[in-house]
């Protein structure tokens, strides 16, 4: 029996197998996957089954969807949003950027995300989806630009019948706070933000921030969808 | 006293009143509004009286007026081609035609032929082409044009009574219900709204490559999004009309190492130029806002031209190419939407 309570696993490789190994090494462990990437979806589903059977818990630290600004942005996003635009500036590959966009969409309460069209080029892509938010249909677009012109970031724009919302989330290399700007009839508000990355936020809240099995399954689905796009 | 260039205005509607006459009033040392003609004689007479100009009795009358050296065509689009051509054949010194230039490629080609035959300079009122910040950005544009990989054009407008009346300064400007979400609307949305920035966008698209519209959709209350591929560049065109208060008019272009973002003031307002920001090698450069806007830029260019200097206006082939691009996007997007609605 080892004395480790919390396992930290680098999510860039075959993290699901590694997580299964750690979860199986005794009870009451917390397995933390840092920036989980596009591992094999079946291994991720297998991991779900292992966690379900055992007594270990799993947590995922995701740079963009885990940013502490997201819940506040979500709370303030108008109900009548009919169109959302997700823009990724990345210096890495487009597939990882799209996976982060899907994860962000989930974190913002979008469900039943179904792909309608894709325009994939060597250094950029543009995808259209339909999704549901609180039961209402909305159009969704992802634009990815692989460029070193700007430091990596995601910009999410929500367009409603009477309001606009823009959220900019910066990469993990900077703890620069996300900017959540909301414009409605009462004016324009920059939501309060803190100098904290998703990583510190998650580690600080580890006791009560573990992922549910549904979240893990959703992650596997997102990886599957992203892989099916065959992006660079 | 220095010679003032005589201007003839065709159409006494909102654009003449809110855009061109205020600019010409500011440039009154160089321009004089000689005459106004509208199919509605009351509209012509009322506006002519307000600005101390003559009111022509017919288009022919305006063309024959020797004081009218330059024509500003501000009538509905279906009349543009015929009026531009007749203005050129009548020997006017320059023509400013509001966007869109025409309704068909054939009309645009006819304009081009007559422009070449008569040598009369033509400007199209896509004012962002003449925006001082855009012009100041030229070096970056040349840098980017060789390797643009993504272009995002997003236009957010509040076409409600409050915004329209304050922007145009015209009381009772009809706003009515917004456009419908029927497929046909996409065509006019491209030719009336997206068209403003298509000449700028075209400067970044790979030369000689066909465009392909991949997707088009409409959303509530009114908005469109269109995905276009051209060579190795994606073009993301969208607009959103809503009842909020804030307009936002953005154009953003990126290559592997350079990006530019331009934020324009909305149509009608005389609020100075756009602000252009470019990033490369970790350095951001901000250009603008300059005092003049694109509308003033149009008249500055005409003034420079008529002094016999190089005004650097787009050649007529480019003007026709810009129009063709707009029409191509509009038609392809319409075909996609009609197909989707039928399913
Ligand atoms: N550059 C911009 O920012 C901008 C903004 C809006 C509209 N526009 C363009 O400007 C043009 C005019 O738009 P508007 O909003 O002023 O329209 P409007 O409907 O307010 O005015 C058009 C005027 O033309 C008159 N008219 C109708 N038929 C005519 C004819 N055959 N000859 C002469 N006049 C005729 C009408 O009586 C009316 O007074 C359109 O081409 C439009 O696309 C440009």
């Amino acid at each position: 029996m080892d004395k480790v309570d919390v396992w930290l696993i680098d999510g860039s490789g075959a993290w699901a197998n590694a997580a299964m190994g750690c979860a199986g090494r005794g009870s009451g462990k917390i397995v933390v996957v840092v920036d989980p990437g596009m591992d094999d979806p079946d291994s991720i589903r297998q991991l779900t089954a292992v966690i379900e059977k055992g007594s270990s818990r799993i947590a995922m630290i995701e740079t963009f969807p885990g940013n502490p600004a997201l819940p506040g942005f979500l709370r303030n996003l108008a109900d009548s949003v009919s169109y959302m635009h997700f823009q990724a500036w990345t210096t890495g590959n487009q597939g990882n950027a799209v996976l982060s966009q899907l994860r962000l969409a989930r974190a913002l309460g979008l469900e039943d995300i179904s792909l309608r069209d894709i325009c994939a080029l060597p250094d950029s892509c543009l995808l259209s989806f339909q999704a549901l938010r609180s039961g209402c249909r909305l159009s969704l677009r992802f634009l990815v630009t692989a460029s070193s012109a700007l430091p990596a970031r995601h910009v999410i724009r929500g367009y409603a019948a009477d309001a606009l919302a823009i959220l900019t989330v910066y990469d993990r290399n900077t703890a620069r706070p996300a900017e959540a700007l909301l414009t409605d009839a009462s004016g324009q508000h920059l939501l309060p933000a803190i100098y904290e990355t998703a990583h510190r936020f998650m580690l600080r809240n580890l006791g009560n921030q573990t992922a549910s099995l549904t979240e893990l399954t959703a992650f596997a689905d997102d990886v599957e969808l992203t892989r099916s796009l065959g992006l660079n | 006293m220095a010679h003032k260039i005589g201007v003839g205005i065709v159409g006494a509607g909102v654009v003449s009143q809110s855009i061109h006459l205020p600019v010409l009033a500011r440039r009154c040392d160089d321009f004089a509004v000689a005459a106004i003609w509208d199919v509605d004689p009351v509209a012509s007479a009322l506006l002519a009286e307000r600005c101390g100009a003559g009111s022509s009795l017919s288009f022919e009358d305006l063309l024959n007026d020797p004081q009218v050296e330059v024509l500003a065509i501000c009538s509905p689009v279906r009349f543009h081609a015929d009026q531009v051509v007749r203005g050129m054949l009548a020997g006017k010194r320059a023509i400013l035609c509001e966007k869109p230039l025409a309704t068909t490629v054939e009309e645009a080609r006819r304009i081009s032929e007559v422009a070449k035959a008569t040598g009369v300079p033509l400007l199209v009122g896509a004012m962002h082409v003449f925006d001082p910040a855009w012009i100041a950005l030229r070096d970056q544009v040349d840098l980017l044009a060789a390797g643009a990989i993504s272009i995002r054009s997003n236009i957010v407008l509040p076409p409600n009574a409050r915004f329209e009346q304050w922007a145009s300064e015209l009381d009772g400007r009809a706003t009515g219900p917004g456009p419908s979400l029927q497929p046909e609307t996409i065509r006019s949305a491209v030719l009336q709204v997206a068209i403003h920035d298509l000449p700028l966008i075209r400067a970044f698209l790979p030369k000689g490559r066909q465009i392909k519209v991949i997707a088009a959709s409409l959303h509530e209350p009114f908005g469109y999004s269109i995905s276009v591929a051209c060579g190795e560049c994606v073009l993301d065109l969208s607009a959103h009309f809503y009842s909020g208060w804030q307009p936002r008019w953005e154009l953003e272009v990126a290559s592997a190492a350079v990006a530019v973002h331009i934020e324009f003031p909305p149509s009608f307002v005389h609020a100075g130029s756009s602000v252009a920001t470019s990033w490369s090698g970790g350095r951001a450069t901000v250009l603008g806002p300059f005092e003049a806007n694109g509308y003033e830029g149009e008249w500055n260019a005409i003034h420079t031209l008529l002094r016999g200097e190089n005004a650097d206006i787009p050649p007529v082939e480019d003007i026709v190419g810009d129009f063709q691009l707009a029409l191509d996007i509009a038609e392809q997007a319409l075909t996609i939407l009609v197909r989707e609605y039928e399913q």
Side-chain angles (χ1 to χ4, degrees):
Chain A
M1 197 54 90
D2 60 51
K3 292 195 181 124
V4 175
D5 294 320
V6 177
W7 291 93
L8 279 180
I9 294 174
D10 172 13
S12 61
W15 58 267
N17 276 333
M20 273 187 270
C22 297
R25 293 181 66 164
S27 59
K29 308 288 176 197
I30 301 181
V31 182
V32 180
V33 187
V34 182
D35 283 322
M38 285 210 272
D39 197 3
D40 171 33
D42 289 336
S43 305
I44 303 172
R45 290 192 187 104
Q46 244 176 299
L47 168 65
T48 313
V50 169
I51 300 279
E52 195 173 16
K53 278 197 216 118
S55 61
S56 296
R57 289 181 295 156
I58 188 151
M60 293 189 289
I61 302 185
E62 298 178 84
T63 294
F64 296 105
N67 189 289
L70 257 81
F73 183 72
L74 175 58
R75 267 195 308 279
N76 285 280
L77 198 58
D79 288 337
S80 64
V81 168
S82 54
Y83 174 54
M84 287 190 81
H85 187 275
F86 287 63
Q87 181 178 21
W89 291 90
T90 180
T91 48
N93 75 46
Q94 295 187 53
N96 284 339
V98 168
L99 178 62
S100 292
Q101 288 177 316
L102 281 171
R103 304 296 302 148
L104 279 160
R106 289 216 190 249
L108 292 173
L110 303 185
E111 295 168 332
D112 284 348
I113 302 173
S114 62
L115 181 72
R116 296 186 66 209
D117 296 281
I118 171 164
C119 171
L121 298 177
D123 298 308
S124 56
C125 65
L126 191 51
L127 291 81
S128 334
F129 300 88
Q130 290 253 289
L132 289 179
R133 180 166 173 257
S134 312
C136 297
R137 227 164 62 139
L138 54 77
S139 306
L140 200 61
R141 265 154 91 80
F142 291 1
L143 169 65
V144 176
T145 303
S147 171
S148 61
L150 288 175
R153 69 192 60 180
H154 283 263
V155 186
I156 297 153
R157 301 175 177 89
Y159 301 89
D162 53 1
L164 301 174
I166 306 179
L167 174 69
T168 307
V169 191
Y170 296 95
D171 197 10
R172 63 180 174 188
N173 298 334
T174 157
R176 184 170 164 170
E179 288 147 27
L181 191 67
L182 297 147
T183 309
D184 60 20
S186 66
Q188 193 163 66
H189 315 272
L190 187 62
L191 295 186
I194 47 171
Y195 284 88
E196 184 162 74
T197 58
H199 305 79
R200 196 180 78 172
F201 179 74
M202 178 59 101
L203 292 173
R204 237 176 4 95
N205 294 287
L206 203 52
N208 45 21
Q209 287 283 336
T210 50
S212 69
L213 297 178
T214 332
E215 282 170 65
L216 210 52
T217 308
F219 193 96
D221 294 346
D222 291 342
V223 170
E224 197 144 53
L225 174 55
T226 310
R227 281 187 159 196
S228 72
L229 303 173
L231 295 166
N232 274 353
Chain B
M1 207 170 74
H3 169 73
K4 292 188 184 187
I5 298 166
V7 179
I9 305 265
V10 181
V14 178
V15 165
S16 301
Q17 295 179 57
S18 300
I19 294 176
H20 297 298
L21 290 175
V23 172
L24 292 169
R26 283 203 292 280
R27 297 294 313 269
C28 60
D29 286 344
D30 297 315
F31 292 99
V33 181
I36 293 176
W37 177 69
D38 190 292
V39 278
D40 175 355
V42 178
S44 307
L46 281 175
L47 191 58
E49 193 186 332
R50 266 172 55 194
C51 59
S55 169
S56 301
L57 298 174
S58 64
F59 186 51
E60 209 54 38
D61 191 22
L62 185 79
L63 291 181
N64 291 333
D65 186 337
Q67 290 189 9
V68 173
E69 297 169 82
V70 174
L71 275 188
I73 312 266
C74 310
S75 54
V77 60
R78 62 187 183 281
F79 304 110
H80 287 182
D82 179 57
Q83 290 173 342
V84 168
V85 164
R86 287 172 67 192
M88 287 174 171
L89 293 174
K92 295 302 164 196
R93 296 180 67 198
I95 311 256
L96 169 60
C97 177
E98 263 309 331
K99 46 78 0 195
L101 174 65
T103 56
T104 62
V105 173
E106 290 70 35
E107 281 184 355
R109 291 212 184 106
R110 166 100 179 105
I111 291 173
S112 161
E113 281 163 19
V114 177
K116 283 179 191 155
T118 57
V120 177
L122 171 69
L123 288 81
V124 173
M127 65 283 189
H128 295 164
V129 171
F130 299 92
D131 184 286
W134 164 253
I135 291 168
L137 198 66
R138 181 148 302 170
D139 290 350
Q140 295 292 333
V141 173
D142 292 344
L143 251 181
L144 262 171
I149 54 174
S150 73
I151 303 177
R152 182 178 69 87
S153 159
N154 177 237
I155 301 168
V156 177
L157 288 175
N160 49 41
R162 179 183 178 277
F163 173 77
E164 287 289 331
Q165 285 174 18
W166 281 94
S168 64
E169 293 193 56
L170 296 179
D171 271 348
R173 168 137 164 81
T175 48
S180 78
L181 291 185
Q182 291 304 306
E184 295 69 39
T185 326
I186 197 109
R187 193 176 186 282
S188 47
V190 173
L191 293 175
Q192 290 289 344
V193 183
I195 199 166
H196 281 282
D197 288 346
L198 289 176
L200 284 63
I201 289 170
R202 194 163 152 265
F204 298 105
L205 295 178
K207 305 282 169 275
R209 301 292 295 260
Q210 295 289 316
I211 58 126
K212 185 168 175 8
V213 175
I214 309 283
S217 64
L218 297 170
H219 65 257
E220 303 271 351
F222 176 77
Y224 61 79
S225 50
I226 304 174
S227 311
V228 184
C230 181
E232 301 207 330
C233 183
V234 293
L235 169 56
D236 175 3
L237 295 173
S238 62
H240 184 69
F241 288 14
Y242 74 140
S243 66
W245 56 270
Q246 193 189 37
R248 243 186 127 88
W249 192 309
E250 301 173 278
L251 175 65
E252 194 171 72
V253 186
S255 72
V258 184
V260 297
H261 176 272
I262 313 173
E263 180 131 18
F264 295 100
S267 295
F268 297 115
V269 298
H270 297 264
S273 78
S274 67
V275 176
T277 309
S278 69
W279 296 269
S280 78
R283 217 172 90 172
T285 310
V286 180
L287 300 166
F290 298 91
E291 279 179 14
N293 62 17
Y295 299 127
E296 283 180 66
E298 293 166 0
W299 289 101
N300 290 343
I302 290 173
H303 185 247
T304 309
L305 264 178
L306 298 196
R307 273 201 326 244
E309 293 165 20
N310 178 16
D312 207 13
I313 62 166
V316 72
E317 296 80 20
D318 277 357
I319 292 178
V320 174
D322 294 343
F323 176 70
Q324 268 177 320
L325 173 66
L327 205 57
D328 205 5
I329 293 175
E331 300 293 357
Q332 289 191 39
L334 176 61
T335 306
I336 288 177
L337 279 184
V338 167
R339 204 187 311 130
E340 279 178 9
Y341 274 62
E342 280 168 0
Q343 276 167 10

